[in-house]
Amino acid sequence: MTIASKTATSRLPDVVGAEYVSSNATDLNAYAIDGKLPSAIVRPGSTEEVIEIVKYAAAERLALIASGARTKVGIGLPPARYDIALDMTRLNRIIAYDPGDLTLRVEAGVPLRKVAEALAEHRQFLPLAVPFFDRATVGGTIATGVDTPLRQFYGTARDYVLGMEFVLGEGVLSKSGGNVVKNVTGYDLHKLMIGSLGTLGVITRVNFKTFPMPVASRGFVATFESLDRAIEMRNHVAQSPLTPMTFDLLSPRVADLFSSPGAERLTKTTMPADVVSPAYWALTIGYSGKENVLSRYEAELRRMAAESLAANVIVLGDGARAAAFAFKREFVPIALESSLATTIVKISVLSARLKDALSAAIKAAETNQLPWAAMARSLGVIYFALLPAELGQASQRQVVAATNQILAAGASLGANMTIPWCPSEWKSAFKVWGPDRHDLAQMQKVKKVFDPLGIFSPGRFIGGI
């Protein structure tokens, strides 16, 4: 924060009104990102106000970082500059919802919980069951690109975001996509915004395709004494005609995380008995349909579990499945609460190499004498949590060594790896965005087009974009 930026931001009340601008020290601390504080917080109430703020920031060369509930601001590198915290939570309207056409248009600051409640009245939903669900907003969720257990069947946001409205770096409003499911006009520029961490523009509105709620659902859990046996059943299911909604593998130590007081507070529910155990790997599968479909699923899964020598199997009804799902959804915040030094490596690999990637990560953790826990999506996405007991130089050295080994092993498997969550104090020692990328030059060109003055979240993305 500089005197010049303080002086420049002092004119923000002219744009949104004094009651929606703050430079109070306590407020600024709440918007800190990796130890850096803004000079001012501004809370626009409309797209027009966002446009004016961006134009003003561009004219004054002020760095601007947009956020919602700030549940995922720890993702990415520390900002190179940070003058204005753009709080989008006043843009919280559901603008249009047509249950018949399965379409929804919302403002970026609307909470996911509010959207879920509105859709549930018509027995519909969005598959955005992301970590920090009860607090997260639509815009922050889309900008960070965090995935969900439901990607197994429904895909990622790229598959059901129909269109978007966003403000570019010179204060120009841009629209991409449309409001209907079948839309073939124009380029899908809005997909560049997904996962770009706010470095290309400020999302103001998002159009979604919605989905009917399942008629009924069940959960199936098979536990195994070894990773090999769990992967064996995973392969059987993946090669079968079955199409589960969720399909995740949990390591034994996940049981300790899920039994913590913080876990129940974050999920607002209780984990059903026997789903996870500190002695077993758990293969968890969610599926839906009419009763005859559910019966077929159960019979097939029981057969596959027996062939893979499962230690135990349980079937969860609708309510118990939903409770267990909440714990899987909140795996990341639960792991983060377990230790101030929790470091989570995200590994994306071909599903055929899932076992190899997991084994390499386990070896790296145990070589460096670090406790660990893992949640692996069957599609090939692994969230591998390193869980040192405390912050400190010794723990940092262990975690840095382990992550470097994981990154090296992952590179040999053709994996894409990042470290989305780690202690702020340690970030400079990590390759937060993974190994160097061959497409960095192209990404820098895109950044230059969308944000020519470099005012959006400078330095936070890949390669310091």
Side-chain angles (χ1 to χ4, degrees):
M1 187 189 315
T2 65
I3 294 175
S5 64
K6 278 186 176 181
T7 302
T9 56
S10 67
R11 292 192 285 271
L12 287 171
D14 296 337
V15 180
V16 298
E19 66 269 39
Y20 298 118
V21 179
S22 176
S23 296
N24 176 278
T26 301
D27 293 342
L28 296 180
N29 280 321
Y31 287 77
I33 298 177
D34 294 330
K36 291 202 173 186
L37 274 63
S39 298
I41 304 155
V42 59
R43 299 176 61 232
S46 66
T47 295
E48 291 71 27
E49 288 183 353
V50 173
I51 291 170
E52 291 306 310
I53 292 166
V54 172
K55 285 181 177 179
Y56 182 72
E60 298 289 342
R61 302 299 193 268
L62 298 173
L64 181 153
I65 299 179
S67 66
R70 307 188 302 283
T71 57
K72 293 175 277 294
V73 293
I75 298 175
L77 294 165
R81 295 181 297 121
Y82 187 15
D83 299 309
I84 300 174
L86 184 65
D87 183 326
M88 298 291 288
T89 54
R90 287 182 62 214
L91 278 79
N92 59 4
R93 295 179 303 149
I94 295 174
I95 300 168
Y97 173 37
D98 188 334
D101 281 345
L102 299 174
T103 56
L104 171 74
R105 186 188 313 164
V106 299
E107 291 183 316
V110 68
L112 291 177
R113 176 62 70 184
K114 179 178 177 179
V115 173
E117 290 170 354
L119 298 187
E121 293 178 4
H122 298 272
R123 290 201 54 78
Q124 293 182 6
F125 76 107
L126 273 181
L128 283 176
V130 297
F132 309 95
F133 181 78
D134 280 331
R135 295 170 51 209
T137 62
V138 165
T141 298
I142 298 301
T144 53
V146 175
D147 77 341
T148 94
L150 290 170
R151 75 177 292 173
Q152 173 69 30
F153 185 81
Y154 295 96
T156 65
R158 293 176 61 86
D159 299 296
Y160 43 84
V161 169
L162 301 176
M164 200 179 294
E165 176 186 275
F166 47 93
V167 180
L168 300 176
E170 293 179 306
V172 176
L173 183 65
S174 179
K175 297 180 182 180
S176 171
N179 304 322
V180 295
V181 174
K182 292 184 178 180
N183 179 62
V184 295
T185 60
Y187 295 102
D188 286 343
L189 290 179
H190 58 277
K191 292 186 177 180
L192 291 172
M193 305 295 291
I194 301 173
S196 65
L197 212 63
T199 56
L200 298 180
V202 178
I203 299 170
T204 53
R205 296 183 179 183
V206 187
N207 305 330
F208 290 102
K209 171 187 176 182
T210 62
F211 296 84
M213 283 185 176
V215 176
S217 65
R218 296 289 185 273
F220 186 93
V221 182
T223 56
F224 300 89
E225 293 181 350
S226 69
L227 172 61
D228 286 350
R229 291 296 185 189
I231 291 293
E232 181 180 326
M233 180 173 174
R234 178 261 160 213
N235 293 341
H236 286 323
V237 177
Q239 293 162 12
S240 77
L242 302 180
T243 55
M245 292 189 302
T246 64
F247 192 4
D248 302 290
L249 180 61
L250 306 176
S251 71
R253 189 171 272 109
V254 169
D256 296 330
L257 296 179
F258 285 180
S259 63
S260 68
E264 290 197 6
R265 180 176 53 76
L266 285 162
T267 60
K268 295 182 172 60
T269 186
T270 302
M271 172 62 83
D274 302 321
V275 172
V276 289
S277 162
Y280 297 104
W281 287 83
L283 192 65
T284 65
I285 301 169
Y287 51 98
S288 64
K290 297 181 179 179
E291 284 302 321
N292 62 325
V293 174
L294 299 178
S295 297
R296 177 193 164 209
Y297 259 96
E298 181 178 343
E300 286 292 298
L301 292 172
R302 284 186 180 277
R303 177 183 62 79
M304 295 177 195
E307 290 175 355
S308 302
L309 303 180
N312 187 36
V313 300
I314 60 171
V315 177
L316 304 174
D318 264 331
R321 184 206 64 79
F325 175 85
F327 280 81
K328 289 199 298 183
R329 183 193 69 210
E330 301 298 331
F331 171 80
V332 166
I334 290 170
L336 292 174
E337 279 227 348
S338 71
S339 168
L340 291 174
T342 295
T343 299
I344 299 178
V345 183
K346 181 182 177 184
I347 307 166
S348 301
V349 68
L350 291 174
S351 58
R353 293 178 173 173
L354 184 64
K355 176 188 168 185
D356 294 335
L358 261 174
S359 298
I362 293 167
K363 181 180 179 181
E366 295 183 346
T367 297
N368 290 282
Q369 300 179 311
L370 286 167
W372 58 274
M375 177 177 68
R377 309 216 194 284
S378 174
L379 289 170
V381 178
I382 303 166
Y383 290 91
F384 195 85
L386 298 166
L387 304 167
E390 58 185 9
L391 289 168
Q393 291 186 353
S395 294
Q396 181 183 6
R397 285 193 294 269
Q398 289 174 294
V399 175
V400 169
T403 56
N404 285 342
Q405 290 168 28
I406 293 170
L407 295 181
S412 69
L413 295 171
N416 179 52
M417 295 155 294
T418 61
I419 304 174
W421 291 278
C422 67
S424 295
E425 306 94 310
W426 293 0
K427 276 196 179 181
S428 61
F430 291 130
K431 294 182 177 180
V432 170
W433 290 109
D436 295 339
R437 296 177 59 117
H438 63 84
D439 57 353
L440 179 58
Q442 286 73 27
M443 296 173 76
Q444 290 169 330
K445 290 178 181 177
V446 172
K447 168 72 170 176
K448 194 69 175 175
V449 171
F450 279 65
D451 179 23
L453 299 174
I455 64 169
F456 291 142
S457 300
R460 302 205 68 212
F461 202 50
I462 297 167
I465 291 176

